[in-house]
Amino acid sequence: EAGVVQSPRYKIIEKKQPVAFWCNPISGHNTLYWYLQNLGQGPELLIRYENEEAVDDSQLPKDRFSAERLKGVDSTLKIQPAELGDSAVYLCASSRGTAPTDTQYFGPGTRLTVL
Amino acid sequence: AQSVTQLDSHVSVSEGTPVLLRCNYSSSYSPSLFWYVQHPNKGLQLLLKYTSAATLVKGINGFEAEFKKSETSFHLTKPSAHMSDAAEYFCVVSDLTGKLIFGQGTELSVKP
């Protein structure tokens, strides 16, 4: 079974430029998550999807961040415009459901550097 | 609200000696608890999870953790460290919606 796929693995951009990250979850997983991981810290949830619906986006900075999961499978997270403080690792995860006991499987992440 | 506290930001052990990574949790109901490991430039991998079944949970690579309600702890142990165990370890609690709340992480170093 293929794992969660993310691309690109690394991205370097100038501040004020746009950037997009892509995630393809494990086949059959209805729930998809985007997390932000700052250096030396644990990941923090940005947004959670159940199929196509964003059911928890309370931590997503909506002035510059957006996400979509149009067909309920893969997802894109966008930042426009990027700021220096956005430098971090962006992780995607998926799970079969949303029960507290459901295991979330993580992709390798995209490391963003904003210059 | 759910939370976890990892009591050590860095632990250093010698190869072949026991590993103990400490985690305390706070929860208003019976929690689901996880340990994840993150190797450099790799994604997070699940080591083990507690879901209110057996209090002693066995995971991959010889790791195990014991859920102690009276102490609100979920410490991770391994009898004998291997060089390949060097990584960042996260204790995690799940809320009722399935949202994961991560601890700050413990960096494990293994000396030859």
Side-chain angles (χ1 to χ4, degrees):
Chain A
E1 178 180 80
V4 176
V5 179
Q6 290 188 249
S7 68
R9 291 293 312 278
Y10 304 91
K11 189 73 176 179
I12 300 174
I13 61 171
E14 300 280 337
K15 64 181 180 181
K16 301 185 181 179
Q17 294 300 307
V19 65
F21 314 125
W22 177 80
C23 172
N24 193 40
I26 293 173
S27 178
H29 282 194
N30 297 323
T31 308
L32 184 146
Y33 310 78
W34 283 102
Y35 287 86
L36 167 68
Q37 185 175 22
N38 286 306
L39 187 64
Q41 297 183 23
E44 297 178 345
L45 182 69
L46 286 172
I47 188 168
R48 173 166 61 97
Y49 281 94
E50 291 182 23
N51 299 305
E52 301 89 358
E53 184 181 0
V55 296
D56 184 358
D57 63 356
S58 57
Q59 301 303 310
L60 190 71
K62 298 180 184 64
D63 57 335
R64 297 184 299 107
F65 286 66
S66 64
E68 60 183 15
R69 193 185 184 199
L70 294 176
K71 296 182 179 179
V73 181
D74 58 345
S75 175
T76 302
L77 178 69
K78 298 179 181 178
I79 308 175
Q80 182 170 8
E83 298 178 352
L84 295 176
D86 296 331
S87 295
V89 176
Y90 293 82
L91 294 165
C92 180
S94 70
S95 65
R96 290 193 181 279
T98 59
T101 56
D102 283 338
T103 297
Q104 293 184 27
Y105 297 87
F106 286 80
T110 296
R111 182 177 297 276
L112 174 67
T113 301
V114 182
L115 303 176
Chain B
Q2 316 295 93
S3 68
V4 289
T5 301
Q6 293 185 242
L7 301 176
D8 306 291
S9 60
H10 185 258
V11 170
S12 181
V13 300
S14 297
E15 190 174 22
T17 64
V19 175
L20 170 64
L21 305 184
R22 300 182 294 164
C23 173
N24 286 350
Y25 70 90
S26 174
S27 176
S28 54
Y29 47 82
S30 182
S32 293
L33 293 161
F34 307 78
W35 277 98
Y36 280 84
V37 61
Q38 187 174 36
H39 288 91
N41 299 315
K42 297 282 184 67
L44 289 151
Q45 180 183 21
L46 179 69
L47 279 177
L48 50 81
K49 68 178 180 180
Y50 167 75
T51 58
S52 76
T55 57
L56 182 62
V57 183
K58 294 188 182 299
I60 62 172
N61 300 333
F63 284 94
E64 63 181 37
E66 186 171 8
F67 174 75
K68 292 187 176 180
K69 185 176 180 179
S70 61
E71 298 176 11
T72 61
S73 69
F74 190 57
H75 300 336
L76 181 71
T77 60
K78 182 174 181 178
S80 176
H82 192 273
M83 295 298 292
S84 61
D85 294 327
E88 188 86 15
Y89 291 79
F90 292 97
C91 182
V92 185
V93 65
S94 176
D95 72 10
L96 288 175
T97 69
K99 174 181 176 180
L100 297 185
I101 296 105
F102 284 75
Q104 290 298 301
T106 298
E107 182 182 359
L108 176 65
S109 300
V110 182
K111 298 175 291 187

